[in-house]
Amino acid sequence: MVVAGVVLIVLALAVVVLAPRVLTRSAWTIDRPRTALVSWSVAVLLGVAGLVAGIALVVLANRPLTDPFGIGTSASHGLNVGVAVVAVLAFAVAVRVRPGPEHDAVREAMRSGAAPHREIAGVPVAVVEADHALACAVPGRSGGVLVSTGLADQLRTDELEAVVAHERAHLSQHHAVAVGIAESIERAVPWVPGARAMARSTRVLVEFAADDAAARRLGRDAVRRAVLVADGTSALGVIRASRLER
Ligand SMILES: [Zn+2]
């Protein structure tokens, strides 16, 4: 039991150390963002499950399987286990990264009708009156896709459809969940070198994945032109546009 536990812990640590190296230094992740996102999830599952199972095997070795924590022998043991479980749950709740206040503002704009809806490529899109270029997707029942007039007015029809397809892909591929989990892990264990790399990588990979989904519908060129108008001044925008050139 102890040997098996130690082997599991070592394997889990190997995953935690190696996965970020493989997933942040490989060119294929730029071309296959969805595979890379799945690989991050698998690495996290293997790392966490391996560590938990390994530590459990080591700690619980030579304890009776029917009552490993000795709860039957002393009430205080049960209390300790309960306190430990509550502490772990409280920590998980405390580090959870929630969507920012801008999501609430978007929801409110959509619910109140402050942003009139327009049908773009068969999708109802809330269009807000604003000078700056803005497009976003808010998940959930009261969510949806929102673009600003400042962006819509600068785009040709196919470019605007590309923006909407990009935002729709964020919703259908549940990118907010992927980013939320990665950022929560970064907050929970900022001292694990791979945690920060995963959060950073996830935020970029979801943009690539959404661009690819939009490109499948409207062609790479329309998406590339839309990215240059909407986000051409940021470093990520330039990278997104250049990978769509190939
Ligand atoms: Zn996006």
Side-chain angles (χ1 to χ4, degrees):
M1 284 258 280
V2 174
V3 174
V6 171
V7 169
L8 270 180
I9 292 170
V10 170
L11 286 177
L13 289 176
V15 169
V16 168
V17 171
L18 291 178
R21 285 169 193 266
V22 173
L23 288 168
T24 55
R25 292 181 198 172
S26 314
W28 67 265
T29 59
I30 296 172
D31 295 322
R32 305 204 172 280
R34 291 195 78 183
T35 310
L37 284 168
V38 171
S39 305
W40 274 117
S41 317
V42 171
V44 168
L45 275 179
L46 285 178
V48 172
L51 276 180
V52 170
I55 290 169
L57 281 177
V58 170
V59 171
L60 301 178
N62 309 320
R63 302 271 188 103
L65 274 180
T66 46
D67 186 13
F69 296 107
I71 293 170
T73 54
S74 160
S76 68
H77 286 174
L79 191 67
N80 290 344
V81 172
V83 168
V85 170
V86 169
V88 169
L89 290 177
F91 181 68
V93 170
V95 297
R96 196 165 72 96
V97 174
R98 284 159 215 271
E102 71 279 6
H103 272 202
D104 293 332
V106 170
R107 264 184 233 286
E108 189 47 43
M110 294 182 124
R111 201 175 18 223
S112 66
H117 283 69
R118 210 170 114 186
E119 188 111 342
I120 299 170
V123 180
V125 175
V127 182
V128 279
E129 217 42 72
D131 289 339
H132 60 275
L134 169 84
C136 67
V138 176
R141 254 188 311 139
S142 55
V145 174
L146 178 142
V147 296
S148 68
T149 49
L151 177 62
D153 292 348
Q154 292 183 66
L155 297 172
R156 284 170 31 178
T157 307
D158 62 340
E159 294 164 358
L160 182 56
E161 287 177 356
V163 168
V164 173
H166 172 104
E167 296 304 331
R168 282 262 292 182
H170 279 319
L171 296 177
S172 64
Q173 297 179 14
H174 306 289
H175 289 161
V177 177
V179 172
I181 290 174
E183 290 184 342
S184 299
I185 291 174
E186 181 188 28
R187 245 170 86 166
V189 286
W191 34 269
V192 173
R196 185 161 296 172
M198 181 171 93
R200 209 181 315 119
S201 175
T202 303
R203 283 189 289 265
V204 173
L205 288 170
V206 295
E207 294 309 323
F208 292 170
D211 283 344
D212 290 349
R216 280 192 292 276
R217 294 180 71 123
L218 292 133
R220 298 170 85 81
D221 194 50
V223 183
R224 190 183 61 83
R225 281 183 272 117
V227 167
L228 286 174
V229 172
D231 197 25
T233 52
S234 82
L236 178 58
V238 171
I239 295 168
R240 284 169 60 199
S242 75
R243 76 182 274 282
L244 289 161
E245 246 165 33
R246 290 175 291 151

